[in-house]
Amino acid sequence: MSKNKQQADIRSHRLDKDQIARNFGDLHPPLSRSEALIAADRCYFCFDAPCTTACPTGIDIPGFIQKIRSDNIRGSAHTILGENIMGGMCARVCPTEVLCEDACVRNTHEEKPVEIGLLQRYATDPVFDQGTPLFSRAAATGKKVAVVGAGPAGLSCAHRLAMLGHDVVVLNRDDKPGGLNEYGIAAYKTVDDFAQKEVEYILSIGGIELRKGETLGKDFTLQDLRDSYDAVFIGIGLGSTNTLGLDHETLPGVDSAIEYIAEIRQSDDLGKLPVGRRVVVIGGGMTAIDIALQSKRLGAELVDIVYRRGPEQMGASRYEQDLAQTNGVTIHHWAKPVELLGDDHVTTIRFERTALDSNGRLTSHGDGFELTADTVFKAIGQILDVGVLGKDAAGLEIRHDRIVVNEAGRTTLPDVWAGGDCVAGGDDLTVTAVQQGKVAAIDIDRRLRGE
Amino acid sequence: MADLKTTFLGISSPNPFWLASAPPTDKAYNVNRAFEAGWGGAVWKTLGEDPPIVNVSGPRYSAIHSNERRVIGFNNIELITDRPLQTNLDEMRQIKQDWPDRALVASVMLPMNEPTWAKYLPMVEETGIDAFELNFGCPHGMSERGMGAAVGQVPEYIQMAAEWAKKAASVPVIVKLTPNVTNILPPAKAALDGGADAVSLINTINSIMRVDYDSLTMYPTTDGMGTHGGYCGEAVKPIALNMVAEIARTKETRSLPISGIGGISDWRDAVDFLALGASNVQVCTAAMVYGFKIIDDLVDGLNNFLDDKQLTLDELIGKAVPSVTDWQYLNLNYVEKAVIDQELCIQCGRCHVVCEDTSHQAITHTVNGERRFEVIDSECVGCNLCVSVCPVEGCISMHQLTEGIDPRTGETISPEKADWTTHRNNPMRKTK
Ligand SMILES: Cc1cc2nc3c(=O)[nH]c(=O)nc-3n(C[C@H](O)[C@H](O)[C@H](O)COP(=O)(O)OP(=O)(O)OC[C@H]3O[C@@H](n4cnc5c(N)ncnc54)[C@H](O)[C@@H]3O)c2cc1C
Ligand SMILES: Cc1cc2nc3c(=O)[nH]c(=O)nc-3n(C[C@H](O)[C@H](O)[C@H](O)COP(=O)(O)O)c2cc1C
Ligand code: SF4
């Protein structure tokens, strides 16, 4: 370890208040009515619309756009939220450039798809602003379902179950509901406390009891729930951050991106947050982009992302990569960290060049480079804390540290369903979590009705 | 550059674009600006008897918009000029003096008795105007008083008034026709029989724009009540073109020179009117929506078009008239099929939806398990619906079958023409 005694430069108030406010304002401001009408007019109302197929929740996109054209905004919102109760959040956070908008036939000749995300926001914003009731509950079934986790998966599942007439108890570890909508999504994607507004709306259907500070594996076990409820849905997301597997990983200044993002999201005065002058981010997903960009927007001078593979393999979409780069973030590909340097605080991180060998496996070259850093953020993914599932985990099939479910969300335990980031085979998107929660609710309902 | 100088009824103007009688020609101020901008002529806002009429002081106009707020159709309940006759006459005299090379036409609307016509027309003519246009067209307000469309809908009245006008005037007389009739030919014929030198058409079409979705009253209203108005602008062009072509192709009326009006907003619209038989054109709504400056594109566009086609303006006039005929003379042996250019196709599938739902189930959506839209020749009737709805210009086109068998009917394609008049299914067919 080198004897580098350089002081870490980590400070708050790097930027003035107005600049911070501008940096953390709406990334994509909402459309005005006239903008929305013009955007809606660009929809061709395709047969068997490719955008609808591309949407994980299968929203009838041409259908809702048609309703925007005729000023039937409430009807439009119903079309959206009926398939995806978090259509408001999804309108803000979905990587539409790889989902619906990527499928838009307008791309063929114009490379400019219909602005589906923004139109979806236009149609749904009034519902959340005004609390317009769009859904009601079916006759009570007398069944009670426990939902663990109040993230997108859990809340979507709870809402659909409530609609179908079941009573739901949602047990959530965190104080605030919403999961990563509240603690993870980049601040400029969901301004004005939208995550909580959305949760309030979801709960307003009735029949859902939300209990906070209730942690599976600590305050109760899966077996407890199976004993006292007719069905259980697990939507606990992912827990701890992966480790780099390097020495000195506990060195001050080597931080979890997720934890810092949560701090940003919960801060009521962003200027107060201390941020390094030189920030290095390890990872290639949405989290890596988000921590890099938000550090930059808090005033970090030099922000580098280092990813061990190429741009195509990055979990973050091309659009997100471009966004980072146009905001002054440097992205290095094909390099992996090998050494953290610093005495009482990290000062430097050393990388080795990587490449794919003839078998497609990642290898490293030996040669490499160093980056000086006041902060190193680990954004290399999270894993499920299988431990919280307790001894019931024995009956649950787990693969690659995630719960295995079938296409209806059933686990290998007959009365337990799961969805969202904690299940195997997903793509770690809000919209997928919502879909999995919905699909599971429909299957739970069928099962409880004895169909 | 093509020469756009036009002579209509012996009246010359630097181009064939006149402003129609309406707000743009309401007073000297406007007409001056229009002539400065380059308009070839102006038909002054319709004059009536003194004391002048009054207009409502609430909304006179309303529009149908596209989502980009483009005005597609326009409605008005405005009456004829609401200024004293003498004021108008003084200004007209001055304009004609200041702009001797432009056409200045006086539009008039008078009650149905000859002495009135004999009294007013000489007074108006004395200003130096080039012609009269008799307004038998306004469908609202004035028609309740027995003028405007109330005259234009009765051929006998048209003829009578035209005769009075011809007697009282020494300059040419143009009769402006109302489209609010089931057949435009009798009014046109009546104008001709009455001695009119030309017809102009169309005036506006009876219309109610919509209701107000809050109050559930018609929209717009004057103090809660509304009345039908006259519809014009882009949306009415096809209706006007048909009427113009009918007059131009019918033996009894085709000697009448036509001034074409209705929905002209760019030079292509003017080409439509001219090719279908109009000798010049008049514009109102487009000027009211975009201002006088549109004359630049009208003149420039028509010029370039004529140059490209190597046509003179005179050669363009009436060029398309011989292509208009009755349905019964269309060649029923002629067969076209739609062809989709797969290179251009963006796979929206609209052609499939519309053909499947409302036409002839002649377009696939899947071929060999892949999303693909292809025309099934054995079902395609050649209706052109898919071409009409396809968002990509040129992607779907109609191709003629010139030989072989039409896979839809099983009949051999015949090079002979054969129309309904001789068709075997026609009980009234003519035998050769
Ligand atoms: C930084 C970051 C940025 C992202 N940005 C985007 C984006 O822009 N667009 C996008 O589509 N996706 C994004 N994602 C992914 C998206 O947030 C997740 O896929 C989605 O939130 C998963 O929902 P979930 O319900 O499965 O889990 P979570 O959102 O993680 O919610 C899990 C819930 O379970 C609770 N919980 C956890 N453990 C327990 C326990 N033991 N007992 C009880 N409750 C528990 C938590 O309190 C939480 O409320 C991002 C993710 C991260 C980390
Ligand atoms: C507001 C308004 C007022 C009009 N007033 C008259 C009029 O006084 N006399 C007349 O002959 N036609 C009048 N018209 C009809 C126009 O001259 C013209 O025939 C009709 O609008 C169709 O042409 P356009 O589609 O170019 O507007 C008026 C039209 C409008 C819109
Ligand atoms: S021309 Fe008409 S019938 Fe033929 S494919 Fe097109 S829509 Fe169908």
Side-chain angles (χ1 to χ4, degrees), chain B residues 336-340 351 354-356 359-363 374-376 379-387 396 398:
Chain B
E336 281 188 357
K337 301 284 176 192
V339 176
I340 301 174
C351 55
V354 296
C355 189
E356 191 72 12
S359 200
H360 291 81
Q361 298 75 47
I363 297 182
E374 277 178 5
V375 175
I376 305 163
E379 303 295 338
C380 175
V381 301
C383 71
N384 211 36
L385 177 63
C386 52
V387 176
I396 311 184
M398 304 302 298

Side-chain angles (χ1 to χ4, degrees), chain B residues 20-23 44-46 60-61 74-81 107 109 133 135 137-138 140 176 202-204 230-234 236 261-264 282-286 288:
Chain B
S21 173
W44 203 270
K45 175 75 182 170
T46 305
R60 297 180 200 183
Y61 313 138
F74 193 68
N75 182 69
N76 85 89
I77 57 162
E78 179 172 298
L79 304 183
I80 60 176
T81 184
S107 169
M109 184 187 288
E133 186 181 78
N135 177 350
C138 285
H140 47 267
K176 184 168 182 180
I202 59 174
N203 208 308
T204 54
Y231 196 47
C232 50
E234 278 178 39
V236 310
I261 319 170
I264 296 166
Q282 300 184 28
V283 177
C284 166
T285 304
M288 292 185 70

